[in-house]
Amino acid sequence: MKSPAYDISIIIVNYNVKEYLLNLLHSIEKAKNDLKVKIYVIDNASTDGSKEIVPTKFPEIEYIYNENNVGFGKANNQAIKVVDSEFTLLINPDTIVSEDTLTKMLSHLKSNPEVAAAGCKILNPDGTFAPESRRSIPTIRSAASKVLGLSSLFPKSKFFSGYYLGWLDEDETSYIPVLSGSFMFFRTDILKKLNGFDERFFMYGEDIDLCFRVAKLGYKISYFPETSIIHYKGESTKKGDLKYVKLFNKANYQFFQKHFTSRYSFLFRSLIYIAISFRGITSFLLSKSKEIRLASFDIIILNISLLLAFIIRFSFTNDLSSKLNSLRSLEYLWVNVLLTGLFILFSIGFNSSRRIDSIADSLRKTFFSFTGVAAITFFARNLAFSRSVLGISFVLTAVLITVLRIYRANRAKQVKSTSGKFKKTRLAIVGSSNAANNLISKINTRADWDYEVVGFVCSKPNDEPGKSDALGEISQLKDIVRNHSIDHLYFI
C-alpha cells in the first residue's frame, strides 16, 4: 500500500474571519516542527478580502474558494475527499494552536490504535478552560439542565452536568462521546470511511453526528489535555442572531430524526421538536440577557428622572402638593408610557443590540425620545405637559445613563469599545521572549492603544533568553491570568 504523502492534513473552513485565519496559519507554521503538513483552506464565499490576501501570504496552502456558502460540513468534505495523509485535523479559523499541538496529538493517536479521533484542551481567550472541550450526545435532560442553568449550579454533577461532562477532570485524558467541532484530530482512513460530514447539516450538529458514527464503528474518541488551543468562539457566526437559533434548532432536530426517530411515536417526536424549539428560544433570550438587562436599567433611569424632574420643577411653586396628588392618582402615567415606548422604538431603530455600551448611541436615543414626547404634547393640546419637566428629566437621564455606561466600560474585561473607558486593559503576551519583547515595545510606543502590558508568558517549557523576566510558562496560564488580573491574552 502506498504511504501517505503527508503526516497531517489540516482543513480550515473560512467565512469572513481573515485576521483570525492569518493568526491561526502563523501558529500552525510554528507548530509544524519536522512534520510534513498540508493545509487546505476552504473559503465559503468570504467578502472580507481573504481570497486575495491569504494565498499571497501563504502560497504553499491549498486555497479553495466557493462562489456560494455551501455550509460547514460540505466545505470540509471538499478537502477530506482529496487529502493524502495519515491524520487529518479539522479546525476552526478563530483558533490558535500551541507549538506542541500537532506533535502531541499525532503521538497520542499513534500510541492508542483504538482511538479514531481526539480533541485537546480548549481555552477561552482569557486563558480559562472552555467546557465544550468535551461533550456528550445531547439528551432532553442534559439540554434542560443547560438551559435552566442547573449545569452551572452543579458543575460536577453527573445528573445535571451531562452535556459538558463536568465531573471529569479537565487535566485528565479520558474517552468521551463528542468532540468540539472547533478541533477534531482524526485518523484519515476512518474519516474517509465515514465519508466525512453529513452534508445535510448546513451548520451545527455535524460534529455530534460524525462522532456518533465513529462510535457506531466501534472506535473510541479521546479527550487529550496535554496540549491546548485558544478558541475565540463563533466569530464568523453570531449566536445572538435569530438565524443562528433557527440553524441550531434545525440541526438538533435533524440529528434526532436521523438516529432516533424510528424508536418513537409521532406524539413523542412532536414533544421532542417542541422541547428543541423551547431550548433554542430560551438560549436566544439568554444570549440577549445583557442587552435586555441594560435596556431595563435605561428605562428605569428614564422614569425615575421624569419623577425627580416633576418634583424639582414644582417644588418652587405652591402647586407641589396638588401635583403630587396628581402623580398618586396616575394622572400623568401616559407620559411615562409614551416616553418608554418611544425609547424602545428608537432603541430598535438604532439597532442598539450591536452598540449597547455606546455613550453616543444612548444619548441619541434619549434625545429623540424626549423630543418625540415634546412634539406630541405640543401639537396635541389636550396632552399638554410641562416643557421644563421634560427638559430637566432629559438632563438627569443623560447624566445618569452616561455614568452607567462609563461604569460598565471600566468594569468590563471586554474591549469591544473604548467609549468612556478610563481603566486600561491588562494584556499579557504569550510567545517567545524575543517576539514578546518586540511586540511589547511596539505597544508601548502607541499612546492611542488602551493597553497596559503586564508581561509575557513563555510558550515553551524549556529555558529561553530573557525567561527570568517572564510571568511564567504556558502550563501556568490559568494561575497567571488570575494572579495578575489579566484581561486579555495575545498569542504570537
Side-chain angles (χ1 to χ4, degrees):
M1 183 180 290
K2 177 188 171 186
S3 297
Y6 298 94
D7 296 314
I8 303 171
S9 293
I10 300 177
I11 303 175
I12 309 163
V13 177
N14 177 55
Y15 181 66
N16 288 330
V17 285
K18 174 186 63 184
E19 296 302 328
Y20 285 98
L21 176 59
L22 290 171
N23 286 335
L24 170 60
L25 293 172
H26 282 299
S27 72
I28 290 173
E29 285 297 313
K30 295 178 182 179
K32 281 182 179 180
N33 297 307
D34 297 324
L35 297 172
K36 291 187 291 183
V37 177
K38 178 69 174 179
I39 302 173
Y40 298 84
V41 173
I42 316 299
D43 194 314
N44 267 340
S46 293
T47 56
D48 64 345
S50 298
K51 180 183 178 182
E52 294 75 26
I53 293 174
V54 177
T56 304
K57 292 196 173 185
F58 294 90
E60 72 280 5
I61 69 173
E62 188 79 22
Y63 198 93
I64 302 171
Y65 186 82
N66 294 324
E67 294 298 332
N68 300 297
N69 187 345
V70 299
F72 180 78
K74 188 172 183 177
N76 270 292
N77 287 350
Q78 288 177 252
I80 290 172
K81 292 173 183 176
V82 299
V83 295
D84 183 15
S85 57
E86 186 176 1
F87 301 99
T88 298
L89 171 60
L90 311 174
I91 188 169
N92 279 12
D94 56 343
T95 56
I96 300 288
V97 300
S98 301
E99 291 186 20
D100 63 357
T101 295
L102 299 182
T103 53
K104 284 195 171 182
M105 294 305 299
L106 183 144
S107 176
H108 176 63
L109 258 68
K110 282 193 171 184
S111 302
N112 296 274
E114 78 283 3
V115 174
C120 66
K121 180 189 285 189
I122 300 173
L123 301 176
N124 296 315
D126 62 0
T128 56
F129 175 72
E132 64 269 16
S133 299
R134 65 271 163 110
R135 294 182 293 164
S136 65
I137 300 295
T139 63
I140 295 176
R141 186 181 69 195
S142 65
S145 296
K146 185 173 180 288
V147 169
L148 297 173
L150 296 173
S151 58
S152 298
L153 288 174
F154 307 100
K156 302 296 182 182
S157 167
K158 286 189 177 183
F159 188 84
F160 291 119
S161 195
Y163 191 78
Y164 289 133
L165 309 174
W167 63 89
L168 296 177
D169 188 334
E170 66 182 68
D171 295 316
E172 181 181 345
T173 300
S174 52
Y175 294 135
I176 59 173
V178 179
L179 297 172
S180 167
S182 62
F183 185 96
M184 307 177 84
F185 198 90
F186 264 91
R187 295 185 189 277
T188 302
D189 58 340
I190 296 174
L191 189 58
K192 285 178 177 281
K193 185 176 182 179
L194 291 165
N195 294 317
F197 289 107
D198 184 336
E199 296 180 6
R200 289 175 293 180
F201 294 86
F202 181 82
M203 189 178 295
Y204 312 115
E206 64 286 305
D207 49 356
I208 301 174
D209 172 74
L210 184 59
C211 291
F212 189 81
R213 288 187 284 130
V214 167
K216 288 177 76 172
L217 286 180
Y219 288 97
K220 301 289 186 183
I221 295 172
S222 173
Y223 166 66
F224 183 65
E226 292 185 23
T227 185
S228 62
I229 65 166
I230 301 292
H231 187 202
Y232 291 95
K233 293 186 181 177
E235 290 298 333
S236 56
T237 55
K238 301 301 180 184
K239 295 190 176 183
D241 292 344
L242 278 172
K243 183 180 179 181
Y244 161 79
V245 174
K246 291 177 182 178
L247 286 171
F248 192 77
N249 278 357
K250 181 182 177 182
N252 275 288
Y253 191 72
Q254 276 181 310
F255 177 79
F256 171 78
Q257 194 172 39
K258 177 180 178 180
H259 295 288
F260 301 108
T261 188
S262 60
R263 304 182 192 177
Y264 301 110
S265 65
F266 173 78
L267 177 61
F268 190 80
R269 293 199 302 272
S270 300
L271 291 174
I272 291 292
Y273 182 76
I274 292 170
I276 290 172
S277 300
F278 174 77
R279 178 178 181 265
I281 293 169
T282 308
S283 298
F284 173 73
L285 292 175
L286 288 174
S287 73
K288 293 293 184 182
S289 60
K290 176 185 173 183
E291 288 89 336
I292 294 171
R293 188 168 61 249
L294 192 54
S296 299
F297 278 124
D298 289 346
I299 291 170
I300 291 170
I301 288 173
L302 202 71
N303 286 278
I304 290 175
S305 297
L306 191 62
L307 175 62
L308 290 175
F310 196 93
I311 295 172
I312 292 170
R313 163 65 180 85
F314 293 105
S315 63
F316 296 101
T317 69
N318 296 324
D319 296 336
L320 180 60
S321 179
S322 61
K323 293 294 183 183
L324 288 176
N325 287 330
S326 299
L327 286 179
R328 293 190 193 99
S329 64
L330 303 180
E331 182 179 338
Y332 296 109
L333 180 63
W334 65 268
V335 182
N336 298 76
V337 173
L338 177 61
L339 188 59
T340 300
L342 287 173
F343 188 85
I344 292 171
L345 286 174
F346 284 120
S347 295
I348 296 171
F350 283 123
N351 199 10
S352 62
S353 63
R354 295 184 184 178
R355 306 177 59 194
I356 194 68
D357 285 319
S358 167
I359 294 174
D361 191 44
S362 302
L363 292 178
R364 274 195 293 270
K365 291 183 292 184
T366 303
F367 173 77
F368 283 117
S369 299
F370 278 98
T371 302
V373 172
I376 291 171
T377 56
F378 178 80
F379 290 106
R381 303 307 298 175
N382 58 319
L383 299 177
F385 190 73
S386 170
R387 305 289 187 278
S388 56
V389 169
L390 291 176
I392 295 169
S393 58
F394 167 72
V395 172
L396 288 173
T397 302
V399 170
L400 292 174
I401 286 180
T402 300
V403 169
L404 176 63
R405 293 297 189 278
I406 292 173
Y407 169 74
R408 285 181 56 84
N410 287 278
R411 189 174 67 96
K413 289 188 176 183
Q414 303 298 326
V415 199
K416 292 181 180 177
S417 172
T418 57
S419 175
K421 194 171 180 67
F422 300 131
K423 187 182 78 171
K424 289 191 174 184
T425 300
R426 291 173 65 81
L427 177 72
I429 313 294
V430 181
S432 66
S433 59
N434 290 334
N437 286 323
N438 287 336
L439 181 59
I440 290 170
S441 298
K442 291 178 182 178
I443 293 175
N444 288 337
T445 60
R446 294 293 299 267
D448 56 325
W449 285 7
D450 204 28
Y451 291 105
E452 177 189 349
V453 181
V454 180
F456 77 94
V457 180
C458 289
S459 58
K460 290 183 178 180
N462 57 299
D463 290 335
E464 295 183 48
K467 184 179 174 183
S468 59
D469 299 328
L471 300 174
E473 297 177 358
I474 196 166
S475 60
Q476 305 166 308
L477 197 57
K478 188 174 181 180
D479 292 330
I480 291 170
V481 169
R482 183 177 63 250
N483 295 337
H484 293 273
S485 301
I486 304 297
D487 296 323
H488 276 264
L489 295 168
Y490 189 87
F491 289 77
I492 56 174

